[in-house]
Amino acid sequence: MAYEDFRARFGRARNQYNIMALVGNGFDIQALSGLGSLTDTRYESFYHFLKFRKFNPSNRILKQMESLRGSGAENWSDVENAIGQLHTVDRVSPDAIAADLKEVQREFANFLDQVATPDVLSRLGETAVAHELTIASFTEFLGDIGDADEYNRMKLPGRLNIGDVFNFKFVNFNYTALLDDFVYLDQDQYEPHPYESSDRNITFRPNPRGHTGSQESAEFRMVSYLVSDVVHPHGVQSTPRSLLFGVDEVNNRLARMLSKPYWAQNNLKYGDLFPATDLFIIFGCSLGDTDRWWWRAIVEGLRQNAEADLILYWRRGPNDADLTATSLREKLASAAGYTGDTGVLELLEQKARIVLYDDAMERVWLNTNSTTQPNWVMP
């Protein structure tokens, strides 16, 4: 699969910029927390759901979840790593693991139906519309790069011009439709044909903060084109048998039934996208080894496309006081399988901009909980 070239679909389109946004469970947790949900999509919440339902106590996946809770692990990637260890360390057959996974799969779909309800989706959409959060994500996100030097190291802003096409491809690693709902271009925030004499449909701000050294001022708006699409490589809540849990690519033919890239057909469906991506955005992802296929493909995409950029968002937790942009680049390199590789670290230093944020920081990209826009967002 390649990116579709939308320029011929519009009347006066110039260049097209492909933006791949990879979104993990951190988004769902953020959205549910902001809506006051009594539960969320953390694996610990699912564990309590299984115990309440008196789920099969001999299920190996449940036992792994119990063990992880005691060790302080908190990400779904930790669970998936444990699934891999059942085969590689405990020598459990892939068939037996797959059978246990199917039991979990069914219950996880029931769990999600109680968390991401139609009421939750409706309230999330109403919040997005009331504060124009969706359209701000699409048109003002470069303002999240608060440091002028970091902003000026990006290739994308200097390439943009009036009449360009912004083609967003959201890779939603979540099984819910919370992200789909939030980025939906509704009738209140967006109109496909707002002008009589032009088919351009958005105004994009390439330099919202007004960073010095940029070719554009803070006030400059580009009348442009917007296209957006969401894919769920790991399955969707509404189709329980599509929900994928498992490990990264494996060479063992028997073990590949546990491989997410194999069943999601990553190479076939998404492999061609990476060299043609102009900007990668990673948000709400734990950068676990079980999604290594994606992190490695991003690194290779950055290598192959000299003009490509990456923005990595990372939410500061209570134990992240010492976290730095450098350590996050190292974490991404390690997740991609390039631990200590100086060439990859230099590549990420050159191309990866890091946005370290917390709940108090002004931010527009996929910010579901803002009731007031940052002061640099133009009405």
Side-chain angles (χ1 to χ4, degrees):
M1 176 191 294
Y3 285 110
E4 182 175 350
D5 188 344
F6 288 97
R7 289 174 295 178
R9 304 287 189 92
F10 297 113
R12 292 187 295 162
R14 293 180 177 173
N15 299 312
Q16 175 169 313
Y17 296 101
N18 300 314
I19 301 172
M20 182 188 292
L22 302 95
V23 183
N25 195 40
F27 175 84
D28 279 15
I29 293 171
Q30 166 195 272
L32 291 165
S33 174
L35 293 170
S37 175
L38 296 178
T39 188
D40 56 34
T41 50
R42 289 182 174 91
Y43 91 80
E44 184 174 4
S45 300
F46 180 47
Y47 168 80
H48 289 301
F49 174 84
L50 291 176
K51 298 298 283 187
F52 177 78
R53 300 264 289 187
K54 300 187 184 326
F55 183 68
N56 178 9
S58 64
N59 184 283
R60 297 172 185 84
I61 312 305
L62 177 62
K63 290 181 178 180
Q64 294 292 78
M65 294 174 75
E66 289 174 333
S67 175
L68 287 168
R69 288 186 69 245
S71 65
E74 58 184 19
N75 296 314
W76 277 107
S77 59
D78 298 317
V79 178
E80 293 182 314
N81 277 325
I83 292 171
Q85 289 171 9
L86 282 173
H87 175 60
T88 59
V89 177
D90 299 338
R91 300 301 180 184
V92 179
S93 74
D95 286 336
I97 298 172
D100 283 355
L101 278 171
K102 285 185 178 179
E103 281 190 328
V104 172
Q105 188 183 57
R106 183 185 306 111
E107 288 302 314
F108 192 58
N110 290 326
F111 168 71
L112 292 176
D113 284 344
Q114 296 187 26
V115 176
T117 64
D119 178 68
V120 164
L121 291 166
S122 294
R123 289 192 288 129
L124 177 61
E126 289 164 4
T127 300
V129 169
H131 305 290
E132 298 189 333
L133 304 179
T134 304
I135 201 66
S137 279
F138 282 116
T139 61
E140 304 267 359
F141 70 88
L142 286 176
D144 288 345
I145 311 296
D147 183 270
D149 290 338
E150 287 292 283
Y151 170 87
N152 286 322
R153 295 181 70 184
M154 294 186 69
K155 299 283 189 180
L156 182 66
R159 301 168 65 194
L160 302 178
N161 207 335
I162 294 170
D164 287 340
V165 178
F166 293 89
N167 178 33
F168 285 82
K169 176 77 72 176
F170 287 91
V171 178
N172 189 356
F173 290 137
N174 302 310
Y175 311 103
T176 73
L178 291 168
L179 175 69
D180 310 52
D181 184 275
F182 183 77
V183 301
Y184 178 74
L185 295 170
D186 58 83
Q187 295 172 334
D188 292 293
Q189 297 183 76
Y190 169 81
E191 186 175 339
H193 206 304
Y195 308 109
E196 289 187 10
S197 59
S198 171
D199 63 346
R200 294 168 184 172
N201 52 31
I202 60 164
T203 55
F204 184 88
R205 291 179 69 208
N207 186 19
R209 297 272 190 144
H211 290 310
T212 57
S214 171
Q215 65 183 18
E216 308 295 354
S217 67
E219 293 75 24
F220 180 72
R221 301 187 190 209
M222 296 167 32
V223 184
S224 309
Y225 299 95
L226 173 62
V227 181
S228 175
D229 181 39
V230 183
V231 296
H232 286 256
H234 297 159
V236 291
Q237 173 182 348
S238 59
T239 308
R241 60 198 170 97
S242 73
L243 307 183
L244 293 178
F245 301 93
V247 299
D248 194 56
E249 288 183 303
V250 293
N251 295 323
N252 185 326
R253 183 176 178 84
L254 291 176
R256 72 183 184 187
M257 68 172 56
L258 305 176
S259 169
K260 291 189 294 182
Y262 175 75
W263 292 109
Q265 300 183 78
N266 284 4
N267 290 319
L268 174 67
K269 293 183 177 180
Y270 314 113
D272 292 340
L273 299 178
F274 294 86
T277 298
D278 298 286
L279 172 65
F280 299 96
I281 306 177
I282 302 173
F283 182 87
C285 297
S286 61
L287 300 181
D289 294 346
T290 55
D291 288 316
R292 174 163 291 167
W293 185 93
W294 295 93
W295 317 136
R296 183 179 288 270
I298 288 174
V299 170
E300 294 307 311
L302 293 172
R303 277 176 166 162
Q304 295 173 50
N305 185 349
E307 300 296 308
D309 290 302
L310 164 65
I311 302 175
L312 170 60
Y313 285 81
W314 193 269
R315 185 180 184 276
R316 285 188 188 273
N319 300 320
D320 291 337
D322 298 330
L323 206 60
T324 65
T326 297
S327 64
L328 282 170
R329 292 187 182 99
E330 292 171 349
K331 183 176 180 65
L332 176 58
S334 178
Y338 297 110
T339 302
D341 188 313
T342 55
V344 169
L345 291 173
E346 289 173 1
L347 177 75
L348 294 177
E349 173 67 25
Q350 175 189 0
K351 289 177 167 283
R353 312 280 63 85
I354 308 298
V355 179
L356 271 165
Y357 70 94
D358 55 32
D359 293 340
M361 174 182 162
E362 290 190 320
R363 168 179 59 88
V364 296
W365 178 249
L366 302 187
N367 191 348
T368 61
N369 299 332
S370 177
T371 56
T372 58
Q373 295 285 10
N375 58 20
W376 40 265
V377 171
M378 291 183 68

